[in-house]
Amino acid sequence: MSNGPEAPSRIIIRNVRLFDGVSDAPRDNVDVLIEGEHVVAVSTSALAGGASEGVTEIDGTGKFLMPGLSDAHVHLMGNANSMLDFVQGPTGTLYGNTIAEAKRMLMRGFTTVRDMGGDLAPIKALIDRGTFEGPRIFPSQAMISQTSGHADFSFVYDVPEEFGGKPSRTEDIHFTRVADGVPRVLAAVREQLRQGATQIKLTLGGGATSMYDPLNTLQYTPDEIAAAVQAAGDYGTYVATHVYTSAGIARAVAAGVKSIEHGHLADEATVALLAEKGVWLSMQPFAEDDHHFPDPLRAAKNAQIARGTDQVYAWAKKHGVKTAWGTDLLLEPQSAPRQSVMAARLGDHYTNVEALKMLTSGNAELFELAGERNSYRAGKLGVIAEGAWADMILVDGDPLADLSLIADPDTNFTVIIKDGAIVKNTL
């Protein structure tokens, strides 16, 4: 018979060099106390503790403590499965692969992610209750596309649902939703919100993985986009849009979209517009070899996107755009570990401290646009401070001096803590 609720577990990490997620300079000889799921003390004076008081102590002397990493644009289900898996694989295998990849992502130090397409709300719920290990998830649920748009994965000979055809396989498993016209777009947005989406993902232009659409296509009319924005806003959240081109970005911004996903083909005036309107640019530091396309047409689109990376980052810095970081790895499970390499690559465009801020507190600021759809409001994400969620990494080395350390988490991340639980400890 229980004598009442158990006392929260207590962990002290001692004598670390602390990067708290927001400060420009780290602090040395810091102790951090965790009780239960939250940080309760950060001190340059030794905190009382010890095994006799039920405290687990970790000696962080000579090591670097930082908040857990975040990724603002993942496709956990897409990361974990190939196109063949989606088309022919059993549904159970798709979800099993996704759960396995969620744990691997956590072991790479990613304690929070924003998923931009896939049926992740059930997996989020299982992770949150402790059934499986994985990062905190902000799910978009199915990415919403027009017929022949970026997320239309039906075959060319399939009859569109608008004309009486059946939904595609990816729609059956809630990876995508094709919807044309204002009424269907409204229904599609509300469907994702009903299923647990924290934000809505629309596809407004072509992409490298698309089967039908060139990069320069404009997808969804202004009325359709505005309808999605209103439906999301009625739930207290926002719309994020896949789009690369200046014309597509301008249409999205005019309709009230809050987050531009990608934007690699934008011109300077359009990047400046994002700063003026306070719209987020959720970028990925793409290199051409991050994705592999045997189809020459898609390979050419991928190369064009990658070529835009350096220039758009430079303009974003010049104009002070609110910029988030993500990966958007998709349909190539063998490439999933590149997430860590792409995180370190952010240092090609920003100082190391700017990069670490974006990977932690910066992304978290974007996630908070979900308002009350954010189920993690009981603590602060992306920082190490009193009252914050206890999500952190102990690094063997100083990423502020050498950002490449985060590219090899197996070697360099000695301790990973998520939700106050030690999920990795190699000390």
Side-chain angles (χ1 to χ4, degrees):
M1 181 175 179
S2 173
N3 293 319
E6 293 184 7
S9 61
R10 303 177 76 221
I11 301 170
I12 294 179
I13 308 175
R14 295 201 181 278
N15 301 318
V16 296
R17 183 172 175 82
L18 176 69
F19 169 68
D20 62 10
V22 293
S23 301
D24 288 333
R27 285 181 285 166
D28 290 317
N29 302 314
V30 175
D31 284 6
V32 175
L33 172 62
I34 298 167
E35 287 189 359
E37 301 167 331
H38 293 88
V39 176
V40 296
V42 178
S43 176
T44 52
S45 300
L47 295 171
S52 62
E53 299 183 25
V55 179
T56 298
E57 295 200 9
I58 296 174
D59 182 3
T61 302
K63 294 185 169 52
F64 183 96
L65 188 69
M66 61 175 286
L69 297 169
S70 61
D71 189 327
H73 194 122
V74 301
H75 293 278
L76 258 169
M77 184 170 282
N79 239 13
N81 294 281
S82 67
M83 178 58 79
L84 193 62
D85 292 328
F86 276 110
V87 174
Q88 295 185 348
T91 303
T93 299
L94 293 172
Y95 283 91
N97 287 342
T98 303
I99 290 167
E101 176 56 28
K103 181 172 182 177
R104 290 191 291 268
M105 197 170 284
L106 177 62
M107 293 305 165
R108 292 196 286 271
F110 289 90
T111 55
T112 304
V113 300
R114 188 178 61 145
D115 192 276
M116 301 309 290
D119 187 22
L120 268 294
I123 292 173
K124 163 190 162 61
L126 291 169
I127 291 172
D128 287 350
R129 74 174 61 135
T131 305
F132 297 109
E133 289 186 316
R136 302 177 191 276
I137 300 173
F138 286 78
S140 301
Q141 291 303 100
M143 46 185 161
I144 302 170
S145 169
Q146 69 175 39
T147 297
S148 80
H150 176 64
D152 181 357
F153 283 84
S154 60
F155 294 108
V156 68
Y157 48 76
D158 288 335
V159 176
E161 191 176 359
E162 187 75 16
F163 302 134
K166 296 180 179 180
S168 67
R169 164 68 168 157
T170 57
E171 291 185 81
D172 285 341
I173 60 172
H174 307 296
F175 188 66
T176 63
R177 170 62 71 206
V178 174
D180 296 296
V182 167
R184 283 181 177 261
V185 168
L186 287 171
V189 170
R190 291 164 179 164
E191 175 191 31
Q192 309 323 309
L193 293 167
R194 181 182 67 187
Q195 291 178 349
T198 52
Q199 63 284 320
I200 295 299
K201 166 79 174 294
L202 290 185
T203 62
L204 302 189
T209 58
S210 307
M211 294 193 282
Y212 310 119
D213 51 349
L215 289 174
N216 65 350
T217 57
L218 286 169
Q219 298 175 18
Y220 277 131
T221 65
D223 286 346
E224 289 171 316
I225 303 168
V229 168
Q230 181 176 350
D234 288 345
Y235 262 68
T237 188
Y238 68 99
V239 171
T241 55
H242 162 103
V243 61
Y244 287 104
T245 66
S246 293
I249 293 169
R251 182 177 287 189
V253 171
V257 165
K258 297 296 185 186
S259 178
I260 300 299
E261 307 300 311
H262 315 316
H264 294 69
L265 304 182
D267 59 25
E268 183 174 2
T270 302
V271 175
L273 175 68
L274 297 179
E276 176 189 340
K277 299 297 186 181
V279 176
W280 281 84
L281 177 63
S282 176
M283 273 278 283
Q284 303 76 36
F286 283 144
E288 192 172 343
D289 62 352
D290 287 329
H291 300 89
H292 305 90
F293 297 102
D295 173 8
L297 291 177
R298 281 189 261 185
K301 291 195 287 184
N302 178 59
Q304 184 180 352
I305 291 165
R307 284 195 297 270
T309 299
D310 292 350
Q311 184 64 82
V312 173
Y313 268 127
W315 287 330
K317 289 189 67 175
K318 175 182 176 181
H319 293 284
V321 177
K322 294 187 292 187
T323 308
W325 171 88
T327 48
D328 193 34
L329 297 168
L330 186 65
L331 303 177
E332 296 179 350
Q334 70 278 9
S335 296
R338 291 184 73 86
Q339 182 181 35
S340 300
V341 175
M342 291 177 71
R345 194 187 298 154
L346 194 55
D348 294 345
H349 309 281
Y350 293 87
T351 67
N352 289 354
V353 69
E354 288 171 336
L356 285 185
K357 285 182 180 180
M358 194 182 302
L359 289 163
T360 54
S361 63
N363 278 354
E365 185 181 346
L366 171 57
F367 302 160
E368 289 167 1
L369 291 184
E372 292 188 7
R373 302 290 293 180
N374 170 12
S375 63
Y376 307 120
R377 300 190 308 280
K380 192 75 173 172
L381 292 168
V383 298
I384 297 177
E386 292 182 13
W389 290 109
D391 302 343
M392 58 194 73
I393 305 166
L394 192 63
V395 186
D396 190 5
D398 185 349
L400 289 174
D402 181 7
L403 195 63
S404 70
L405 291 168
I406 65 177
D408 186 3
D410 286 349
T411 301
N412 300 318
F413 292 176
T414 58
V415 176
I416 299 172
I417 295 173
K418 185 240 172 175
D419 222 17
I422 300 171
V423 297
K424 176 183 177 180
N425 185 358
T426 60
L427 289 178

